[in-house]
């Protein structure tokens, strides 16, 4: 560690500050600030009380040896005396004074700063240890910071308390866990002008998805007031995800918005200083504020672009704190450090998939972190002082965590909290120690009994589930470096956008089928016609639910357009620039009726499978306005977000005339085939599609064989009937003849053709048939993808050998 010659330096003059290595190079704070300001990024002004003050404090007060001797008494096995050692170590600092000459220099800098900024400002006094914020270790919050500090005496006292905080229980344990020598770690203090986020807002931004490691997005969390509530996880924040490629191309980049409850707002206390250790107090957020997003779209994109600039400067994923001044409405970057989980060099080729093999009673649910599953006895703790009750392998259940919990959390098999979001303390620590966690449950400590056997599953997207009992589960390990993609394109079938980032790491050529119905059913939840004709709704309960869900939107239809665009955009961004083929809605009438407000707009049918579905709905007066909303959303994804890798597909198109009607209607709604490279496919799932394949090829750019519907309609079997289910077989020769016929027609007309279904992964013979027939692509469910790839590779190898043998015999 390099010691500085000066005790205090303005931020802009610091060239050799003893702070962490960032992005593989020594971070020059002065250089960083100058660079950020040059790029138009606002940062609070301030000065640093360097580590030279810390070393001089130790030597002047003759406590260096005493400190070392005290730390040598620590029980390194059970840490039984950790609390006592910490308390005595901090007392060594708090009982002494900073040398008077240094105090005078601090006062001098303080008065110069006040003269420049005005005597009404207050300060944030932040600790910065030399072992903190490395690319492979963060544990943010190990040392203390003090907010809303006013006056020179309180500033000096806050500095001393920062020095003492180097020996909190959590900081001592952290250094031991990470192999740092206590006596070679120093502490400097950053003194910043406080941004009036107490009457504005603040938050955290990651230049990476912190759960999956997907690098092409920016995650922003935000709350009202000062940021400590977010870091500690005491409130549920707003969450936003933005796509980097769209940001760089100046397209609309917001992939998702999630409104948080933001239950509390941390504000300044009436008087500054060290009152209550912080000079702040927490108040309940008004219902009006809870219902508002903390940032608008323009502010989000401005902040996200700043995040990109900072990441580009340091050449590694970053964890950034931001604030918005309530007086000026200006945004500021107040801290930047490397993101620690995904900066650690590890084998990027190993992909793990966790599978829950059975289900039971759901006890509670919340935000899942990562994709792991864990099980064990629940241990409900209300205070970190009770940490001795938690045994190795038990599940920690608590209201909320802060850095005082760190030594305890390392013993847990999993973590469950009532409060917190994806950037809360519990979330950060869970990721770093690599365990499953479900945060923000709200009622975990009420619904789970102390000592109860439970299973925690984060394997089903962003929603984490807590089940009763020790359930069976399996961990699959996939080494993608050993998987070679075949010549036949291998694509995926996807329904849930929450899993898109995770699945993007699997070997693939894109998405062959994105099911819009799942998004409408699970994300939007409302029948589109109930939005179009909201004022005509007769169901009062449905009307109330719709009003609540759409409260952020002045026009009800925009709710549908916005959420559908965000969900499809998330998948398109995850796989960009690979093709993502989105099938327009293919609900049957009985399924559509189950959406909120749906019963009023759906006719009753005896056989919905063969009724009012697919293309025939789109141009019907009963749904035409609903289809327009679907088109508006897809237009937004392609034209405004710039995700032109999205292709569209029409299901259950019975005749060429029907295809022409739909293509014409899409053009009327702003989706013109060929414009900006737009391609429109059709599903091949009705025998008429195959009989008239050449006519369909004149209308559409590609075909996708839906083997399930095609099999049932070829064999005259209701695939949902148990009585005839044994006859359902895609390998039936009549089905294969039709598939071979349409592949030949596609080759003749130069039309792309693929197949979506389980059969090529379940049956190597069926995969061989498709490869021999010359299929362009095959789409699999993610859990069948690897097996499908192996079957196709084997089929292509057999075909190649056969072709070689034929050539040899010629």
């Amino acid at each position: 560690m390099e010691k500085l010659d000066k005790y205090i330096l303005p931020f802009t003059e610091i060239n050799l500050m003893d702070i962490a290595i960032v992005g593989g190079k020594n971070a020059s704070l002065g250089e960083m600030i100058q660079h950020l300001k040059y790029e138009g990024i606002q940062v609070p002004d301030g000065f640093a009380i360097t580590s030279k003050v810390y070393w001089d404090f130790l030597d002047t007060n003759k406590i260096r040896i005493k400190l070392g001797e005290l730390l040598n008494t620590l029980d390194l096995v059970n840490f039984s005396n950790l609390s006592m050692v910490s308390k005595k170590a901090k007392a060594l600092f708090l009982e002494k004074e900073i040398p008077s000459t240094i105090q005078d220099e601090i006062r001098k800098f303080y008065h110069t700063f006040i003269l420049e900024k005005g005597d009404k400002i207050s300060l944030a006094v932040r600790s910065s240890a030399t072992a903190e914020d490395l690319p492979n270790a963060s544990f943010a919050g190990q040392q203390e910071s003090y907010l809303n500090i006013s006056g020179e005496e309180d500033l000096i006292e806050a500095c001393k308390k920062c020095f003492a905080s180097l020996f909190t229980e959590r900081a001592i344990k952290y250094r031991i866990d990470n192999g740092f020598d206590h006596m070679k770690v120093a502490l400097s203090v950053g003194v910043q002008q406080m941004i009036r986020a107490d009457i504005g807002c603040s938050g955290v931004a990651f230049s990476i998805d912190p759960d999956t490691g997907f690098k092409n997005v920016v995650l922003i969390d935000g709350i009202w007031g000062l940021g400590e509530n977010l870091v500690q996880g005491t409130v549920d924040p707003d969450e936003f995800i933005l796509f980097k490629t769209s940001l760089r191309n100046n397209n609309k980049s917001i992939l998702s918005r999630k409104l948080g409850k933001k239950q509390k707002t941390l504000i300044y206390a009436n008087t500054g200083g060290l009152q209550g250790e912080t000079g702040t107090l927490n108040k309940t957020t008004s219902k009006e504020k809870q219902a508002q997003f903390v940032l608008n779209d323009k502010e989000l994109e401005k902040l996200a672009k700043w995040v990109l600039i900072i990441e580009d400067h340091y050449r590694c994923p970053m964890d950034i704190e931001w604030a918005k001044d309530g007086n000026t409405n200006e945004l500021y970057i107040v801290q930047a450090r490397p993101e620690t989980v995904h900066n650690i060099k590890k084998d990027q080729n190993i992909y793990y998939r966790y599978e829950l093999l059975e289900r039971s009673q759901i006890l509670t649910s919340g935000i899942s972190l990562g994709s792991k599953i864990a099980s064990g006895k629940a241990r409900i703790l209300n205070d970190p002082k009770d940490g001795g009750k938690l045994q190795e392998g038990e599940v920690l259940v608590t209201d909320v965590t802060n850095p005082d919990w760190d030594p305890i959390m390392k013993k847990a098999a999993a973590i469950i909290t009532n409060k917190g979001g994806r950037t809360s303390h519990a979330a950060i620590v869970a990721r770093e120690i690599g365990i499953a966690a479900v945060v923000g449950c709200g009622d975990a400590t009420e619904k789970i009994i102390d000592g109860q056997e439970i299973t925690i599953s984060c394997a089903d997207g962003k929603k984490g589930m807590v089940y009763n009992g020790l359930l069976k589960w399996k961990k699959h390990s996939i080494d993608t470096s050993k998987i070679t993609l075949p010549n036949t394109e291998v694509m995926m079938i996807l329904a849930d956008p929450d899993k898109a980032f995770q699945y993007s790491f699997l070997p693939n050529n894109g998405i062959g089928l994105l099911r819009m119905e799942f998004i409408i059913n699970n994300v939007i939840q409302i029948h589109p016609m109930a939005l179009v004709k909201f004022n005509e709704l007769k169901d009062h309960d449905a009307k109330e639910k719709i009003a609540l869900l759409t409260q952020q939107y002045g026009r009800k239809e925009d709710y549908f357009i916005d959420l559908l665009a965000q969900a499809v955009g998330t998948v398109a961004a995850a796989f960009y620039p690979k093709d993502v083929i989105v099938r327009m809605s293919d609900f049957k009438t009985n399924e559509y009726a189950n959406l909120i407000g749906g019963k009023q707009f759906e006719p009753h049918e005896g056989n919905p499978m063969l009724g009012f579905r697919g293309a025939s709905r789109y141009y019907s007066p009963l749904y035409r306005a609903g289809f327009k909303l679907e088109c508006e959303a897809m237009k937004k994804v392609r034209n405004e977000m710039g995700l032109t890798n999205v292709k569209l597909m029409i299901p259950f198109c019975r005749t060429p005339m029907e295809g022409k009607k739909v293509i014409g209607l899409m053009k009327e709604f702003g989706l013109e085939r060929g414009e900006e490279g737009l391609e429109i496919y059709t599903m091949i799932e009705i025998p008429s599609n195959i009989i008239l394949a050449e006519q369909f090829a004149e209308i559409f750019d590609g075909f996708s064989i839906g083997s399930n519907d095609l099999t049932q309609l070829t064999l005259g079997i209701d695939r949902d009937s148990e009585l005839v289910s044994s006859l359902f077989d895609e390998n039936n020769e009549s089905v294969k003849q039709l598939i071979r016929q349409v592949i030949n027609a596609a080759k003749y007309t130069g039309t792309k053709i693929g197949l979506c279904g389980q059969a090529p992964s379940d049956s190597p013979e069926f995969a061989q048939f498709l490869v021999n027939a010359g299929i362009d692509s095959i789409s699999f469910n993610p859990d069948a993808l690897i097996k499908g790839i192996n079957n196709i590779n084997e089929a292509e190898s057999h075909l190649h050998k056969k072709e070689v043998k034929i050539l040899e015999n010629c």
Side-chain angles (χ1 to χ4, degrees):
M1 174 185 51
E2 187 163 2
K3 298 181 186 178
L4 302 179
D5 293 330
K6 295 184 178 181
Y7 290 118
I8 306 174
L9 286 170
F11 284 166
T12 51
E13 294 180 15
I14 296 174
N15 293 314
L16 291 171
M17 185 177 180
D18 50 336
I19 58 176
I21 295 174
V22 180
K25 62 178 182 179
N26 283 316
S28 162
L29 188 59
E31 175 195 30
M32 180 187 77
I33 290 174
Q34 290 168 12
H35 175 75
L36 296 184
K37 288 187 173 180
Y38 175 79
E39 295 285 357
I41 299 174
Q42 297 198 102
V43 295
D45 288 328
F47 55 92
I49 298 169
T50 71
S51 61
K52 181 173 174 58
V53 176
Y54 174 82
W55 294 119
D56 280 19
F57 180 91
L58 292 183
D59 294 336
T60 302
N61 290 296
K62 296 182 172 56
I63 62 173
R64 191 191 290 243
I65 294 174
K66 291 180 182 178
L67 192 59
E69 291 174 347
L70 177 62
L71 291 166
N72 286 336
T73 67
L74 186 64
D75 172 11
L76 297 177
V77 178
N78 299 313
F79 295 94
S80 58
N81 63 342
L82 176 60
S83 178
M84 181 270 292
V85 169
S86 170
K87 186 176 181 179
K88 288 184 176 181
K90 289 186 290 184
L92 289 174
F93 287 86
L94 299 176
E95 292 168 356
K96 304 295 182 180
E97 298 297 333
I98 294 174
S100 58
T101 54
I102 300 175
Q103 288 193 37
D104 290 342
E105 193 167 346
I106 293 173
R107 291 187 180 96
K108 179 182 175 182
F109 261 86
Y110 173 75
H111 285 293
T112 302
F113 195 65
I114 291 296
L115 191 64
E116 179 185 346
K117 300 297 178 183
D119 58 6
K120 291 185 179 180
I121 71 162
S122 58
L123 304 173
V125 182
R126 301 178 180 273
S127 302
S128 178
T130 55
E132 191 178 26
D133 299 336
L134 300 174
N136 62 348
S138 170
F139 279 65
Q142 291 302 314
Q143 286 70 233
E144 302 290 354
S145 292
Y146 298 91
L147 307 177
N148 194 24
I149 300 300
S150 297
E152 58 188 48
E153 298 308 318
D154 275 357
L155 171 58
I156 291 169
E157 184 66 17
C159 291
K160 193 168 70 168
K161 288 191 173 186
C162 285
F163 291 158
S165 74
L166 196 57
F167 294 94
T168 60
E169 292 178 40
R170 59 183 182 261
I172 293 171
K173 184 69 163 56
Y174 161 66
R175 289 193 293 274
I176 292 169
D177 290 341
N178 288 276
F180 296 118
D181 186 334
H182 297 296
M183 302 312 295
K184 291 183 179 179
V185 175
L187 188 134
S188 56
V189 177
V191 181
Q192 291 178 308
Q193 178 183 348
M194 277 288 288
I195 304 304
R196 290 303 305 271
D198 66 309
I199 53 173
C201 57
S202 59
V204 174
F206 284 89
S207 66
I208 189 172
D209 178 61
D211 287 324
T212 64
F214 183 72
K215 293 183 177 180
N216 209 8
V217 291
V218 173
L219 170 72
I220 297 173
D221 275 4
I223 59 173
W224 296 118
L226 303 173
E228 191 69 7
N229 278 336
L230 175 58
V231 176
Q232 299 297 351
T234 54
V235 300
D236 302 317
D238 292 343
E239 181 180 288
F240 311 92
I241 299 176
L242 296 91
F243 183 43
K244 289 180 180 177
T245 301
S246 294
L247 277 170
R248 296 186 195 280
N249 294 333
N250 292 315
N251 291 317
K252 288 191 175 179
S253 58
I254 300 170
L255 297 177
S256 73
R257 299 180 193 84
K258 181 183 176 185
L259 185 70
K261 295 178 181 177
K262 307 180 289 291
Q263 299 94 325
K264 296 284 185 179
T265 301
L266 189 65
I267 62 171
Y268 289 166
N270 292 331
T271 57
L274 293 173
Q275 175 186 339
E277 295 297 308
T278 61
T280 59
L281 60 89
N282 238 343
K283 69 173 187 177
T284 301
T285 308
S286 69
K287 294 293 183 185
E288 182 183 14
K289 282 281 193 180
Q290 287 187 38
Q292 296 175 14
F293 285 112
V294 296
L295 296 174
N296 60 38
D297 290 1
K298 187 176 180 180
E299 290 169 330
L300 283 169
E301 295 196 331
K302 180 179 183 178
L303 182 57
K305 286 180 179 179
W306 286 2
V307 171
L308 292 187
I309 292 168
I310 294 169
E311 181 184 53
D312 289 345
H313 180 70
Y314 286 113
R315 300 193 297 276
C316 71
M318 298 295 289
D319 172 359
I320 293 164
E321 294 180 20
W322 61 269
K324 180 182 174 182
D325 191 300
N327 282 329
T328 65
N329 287 325
E330 295 288 346
L331 288 168
Y332 289 85
I333 299 295
V334 295
Q335 185 165 312
R337 55 181 170 242
E339 187 274 343
T340 54
V341 176
H342 301 285
N343 268 318
I344 300 173
K345 290 187 181 293
K346 54 186 177 182
D347 194 342
Q348 301 290 335
N349 295 316
I350 304 298
Y351 175 89
Y352 296 104
R353 183 174 68 83
Y354 292 78
E355 180 184 8
L356 194 61
L357 301 176
E358 54 184 349
R359 310 273 169 168
S360 68
Q361 175 194 0
I362 297 172
L363 300 174
T364 187
S365 62
I367 301 168
S368 70
L369 302 172
S371 60
K372 294 183 177 180
I373 299 173
S375 56
K377 280 188 178 180
R379 189 60 60 206
I380 299 177
L381 300 180
N382 298 316
D383 193 294
K385 293 178 182 177
D386 299 327
K389 297 178 181 178
L390 181 76
Q391 302 302 309
E392 292 281 349
E394 291 185 337
V395 178
L396 172 62
V397 184
T398 189
D399 185 54
V400 65
T401 70
N402 60 40
D404 291 330
W405 289 86
D406 290 351
I408 301 157
M409 295 167 79
K410 285 203 164 189
K411 294 194 296 182
I415 298 168
I416 304 170
T417 67
N418 289 336
K419 300 172 184 173
R422 290 217 286 157
T423 55
S424 65
H425 172 266
I428 292 169
V429 174
R431 290 189 197 100
E432 291 193 347
I433 61 181
I435 62 175
V438 180
V439 300
C441 296
D443 58 1
T445 53
E446 297 173 16
K447 295 296 180 67
I448 299 170
I449 301 170
D450 188 54
Q452 183 176 7
E453 292 182 333
I454 60 173
T455 298
I456 299 90
S457 175
C458 299
D460 294 315
K462 291 183 180 179
K463 189 173 185 179
M465 312 299 291
V466 181
Y467 295 94
N468 183 37
L470 304 179
L471 304 182
K472 294 178 182 178
W473 53 275
K474 191 173 182 181
K475 177 181 177 181
H476 303 271
S477 176
I478 301 166
D479 186 349
T480 58
S481 66
K482 295 180 180 179
I483 296 173
T484 302
L485 285 172
N487 294 323
T488 305
E489 285 194 339
V490 175
M491 306 180 84
M492 275 191 276
I493 301 169
L494 193 61
D496 187 355
D498 286 349
K499 297 182 180 180
F501 295 160
Q502 175 188 346
Y503 288 149
S504 70
F505 293 100
L506 289 170
N508 69 87
N509 296 112
I511 298 296
L513 171 62
L514 174 58
R515 294 189 173 106
M516 188 181 287
E517 307 85 57
F518 181 94
I519 298 169
I520 295 174
N521 192 50
N522 291 276
V523 179
I524 297 170
Q525 303 178 57
I526 304 171
H527 194 292
M529 293 305 296
L531 293 166
V532 173
K533 298 189 176 185
F534 177 74
N535 293 328
E536 300 174 30
L537 271 179
K538 299 172 184 176
D539 185 337
H540 294 295
D541 288 342
K543 205 165 187 177
E544 285 182 7
K545 290 178 182 177
I546 293 171
L548 183 63
L549 287 170
T550 61
Q551 62 181 317
Q552 297 292 326
Y553 295 85
R555 198 177 76 105
K556 301 298 181 189
E557 295 93 326
D558 289 338
Y559 167 84
F560 185 97
I561 295 167
D562 204 27
L563 265 62
L564 181 56
Q566 289 175 21
V568 171
T570 296
V571 179
F575 292 88
Y576 187 86
K578 299 173 185 175
D579 286 350
V580 172
I581 302 173
V582 180
R583 185 176 69 188
M584 307 304 278
S585 68
D586 191 26
F587 279 118
K588 289 77 177 174
T589 49
N590 59 323
E591 296 168 340
Y592 249 132
N594 290 327
L595 293 171
I596 298 172
K599 289 182 173 59
Q600 183 174 328
F601 301 99
E602 293 299 327
H604 176 74
E605 293 184 294
N607 189 355
M609 184 73 76
L610 299 179
F612 188 49
R613 62 175 288 201
S616 61
R617 292 184 69 95
Y618 303 156
Y619 56 84
S620 166
L622 294 177
Y623 190 74
R624 189 179 191 273
F627 183 61
K628 182 179 181 181
L629 299 186
E630 295 182 29
C631 292
E632 290 285 346
M634 296 305 97
K635 188 169 64 172
K636 184 173 183 177
V637 171
R638 287 183 49 84
N639 298 353
E640 297 181 23
M641 299 169 76
L643 292 164
T644 52
N645 59 323
V646 167
K647 300 182 178 183
L648 304 177
M649 184 155 65
I650 306 303
F652 225 76
C653 185
R654 293 173 170 93
T655 68
M657 183 60 67
E658 193 169 55
K660 289 177 182 178
K661 278 186 180 181
V662 173
I663 293 292
L665 190 59
M666 293 176 77
K667 181 178 179 180
E668 180 183 332
F669 294 154
L671 291 170
E672 183 173 0
R673 182 184 170 207
E675 191 174 89
E676 297 293 329
L678 174 61
E679 293 184 356
I680 303 177
Y681 286 36
T682 188
M683 294 288 293
I684 299 296
E685 48 196 344
I686 309 170
S688 65
N689 299 144
I690 297 168
I691 296 167
L692 300 177
E694 291 183 22
Q695 292 183 42
F696 279 101
E698 294 175 3
I699 303 164
F700 295 101
D701 298 290
F703 295 157
S704 179
I705 302 167
S707 58
N708 286 337
D709 271 349
L710 181 61
T711 300
Q712 79 167 347
L713 293 174
T714 300
L715 299 178
I717 291 173
D718 179 356
R719 58 177 172 164
D720 293 330
S721 171
E722 293 181 7
L723 297 174
V724 291
S725 60
S726 60
L727 298 173
F728 186 92
D729 182 13
E730 293 110 319
N731 262 307
N732 184 279
E733 187 57 35
S734 61
V735 178
K736 290 166 72 172
Q737 281 197 30
L738 287 176
I739 291 174
R740 187 183 293 109
Q741 182 179 333
V742 75
I743 292 174
N744 289 337
K747 296 297 178 186
Y748 177 75
T749 58
T751 306
K752 299 173 187 176
I753 186 165
L755 179 139
C756 299
Q758 196 75 6
S761 63
D762 291 342
S763 168
E765 294 78 17
F766 196 75
Q768 186 72 62
F769 158 71
L770 292 174
V771 168
N772 291 348
I775 197 88
D776 293 324
S777 68
I778 302 175
S779 299
F780 301 94
N781 289 316
D783 60 353
L785 181 69
I786 303 304
K787 188 177 178 183
I789 290 173
N790 292 336
N791 285 348
I792 295 172
N793 275 323
E794 189 175 339
E796 289 185 352
S797 176
H798 284 314
L799 181 62
H800 177 69
K801 289 176 183 177
K802 186 176 180 182
E803 289 172 343
V804 169
K805 193 171 183 179
I806 291 171
L807 288 173
E808 287 175 351
N809 293 333
C810 289

